[in-house]
């Protein structure tokens, strides 16, 4: 059993931030953010280095305040109607070494007071990556189906994300895997109860879910000539 990296104080801070999403409030409470969110998140990321090195060595756990696995708390409001300056969740992505941004294949952890989940896959991949994944599914349909219907994977994860309404250009609308070929995101998501995040076995549970997603992640990487 591991240790509890996050605490009730972490969740309380996120709730308080959601109610007071203003720059002056955040500046006054920055020590709380550092103590209750930043430090435990960086410790969690550091702890994830060993298991990833064991079963997913091409994926990085970078415990940095900026530019690492922890996503920025500051929102990009330039093109959004929502001008709230801060994210009210913790987002952690363990990205493939060949990736440059959040659209690269990765393992993901999301924590907010009423929604905790892990994911693996590629979210909104760029056009070349998206086309490569679709082509791999079209050409290796039996392999793809064996991965996503494998009993442990299917009991743990649900495929999620956005899809096209029609077949993508260049793909047969009658293809037996057309439901997956229409996907714009190739992500598998596993939910936790919000209270799980403060449990002493939460880290171990996340590790096991990431481990369960190995074959799914390997397929996406191989489709794009990325080492797993």
């Amino acid at each position: 059993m591991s240790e509890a990296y996050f605490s009730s104080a972490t969740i309380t801070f996120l709730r308080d931030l959601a109610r007071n999403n203003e720059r002056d409030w955040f500046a006054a409470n920055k020590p709380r953010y550092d103590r209750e969110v930043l430090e435990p998140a960086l410790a969690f990321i550091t702890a994830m280095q060993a298991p990833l090195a064991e079963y997913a060595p091409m994926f990085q756990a970078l415990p940095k305040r900026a530019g690492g696995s922890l996503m920025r708390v500051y929102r990009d409001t330039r093109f959004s109607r929502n001008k709230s300056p801060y994210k009210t969740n913790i987002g952690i992505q363990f990205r493939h070494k060949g990736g440059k941004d959040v659209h690269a294949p990765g393992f993901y952890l999301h924590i907010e007071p009423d929604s905790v989940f892990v994911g693996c896959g590629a979210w909104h991949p760029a056009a070349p990556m998206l086309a490569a994944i679709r082509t791999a599914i079209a050409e290796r349909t039996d392999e793809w189906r064996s991965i996503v219907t494998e009993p442990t994977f299917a009991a743990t994860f649900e495929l999620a994300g956005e899809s096209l309404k029609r077949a993508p250009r260049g793909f047969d609308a009658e293809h037996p895997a057309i439901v997956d070929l229409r996907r714009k995101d190739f992500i598998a998501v596993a939910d936790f109860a919000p209270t799980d995040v403060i449990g002493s076995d939460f880290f171990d549970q996340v590790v096991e879910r990431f481990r369960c997603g190995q074959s799914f992640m390997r397929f996406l990487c191989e489709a794009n000539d990325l080492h797993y």
Side-chain angles (χ1 to χ4, degrees), residues 110-131:
H110 180 99
I111 299 172
E112 60 182 311
D114 300 315
S115 177
V116 178
F117 63 87
V118 295
C120 58
W123 177 75
H124 287 8
M129 179 175 289
L130 181 59

Side-chain angles (χ1 to χ4, degrees), residues 43 47 61 70 99 115 122 134 159 168 206:
L70 180 63
S115 177
R134 286 172 172 162
L159 298 188
V206 172

Side-chain angles (χ1 to χ4, degrees), residues 71-183:
M71 295 183 172
R72 299 172 72 248
V73 69
Y74 307 100
R75 295 184 64 253
D76 184 350
T77 62
R78 291 174 299 172
F79 308 108
S80 174
R81 292 182 179 180
N82 180 0
K83 298 303 181 181
S84 299
Y86 304 105
K87 299 173 186 175
T88 56
N89 67 278
I90 299 170
I92 298 173
Q93 186 192 34
F94 303 103
R95 189 180 306 158
H96 192 281
K97 292 180 180 179
K100 298 180 180 180
D101 56 30
V102 296
H103 307 294
F107 297 93
Y108 177 71
L109 170 63
H110 180 99
I111 299 172
E112 60 182 311
D114 300 315
S115 177
V116 178
F117 63 87
V118 295
C120 58
W123 177 75
H124 287 8
M129 179 175 289
L130 181 59
I133 294 171
R134 286 172 172 162
T135 298
I137 292 172
E139 295 177 351
R140 298 156 55 193
T141 304
D142 289 345
E143 179 185 353
W144 169 256
R145 282 184 169 170
S146 71
I147 291 169
V148 298
T149 62
E150 189 277 323
T152 302
F153 180 90
T156 302
F157 288 104
E158 179 179 355
L159 298 188
E162 299 180 9
S163 293
L164 298 171
K165 293 183 179 180
R166 298 181 177 84
R169 182 176 300 177
F171 292 89
D172 182 1
E174 302 301 319
H175 192 284
I178 191 59
V179 171
D180 288 327
L181 294 175
R182 292 205 312 262
R183 294 187 184 279

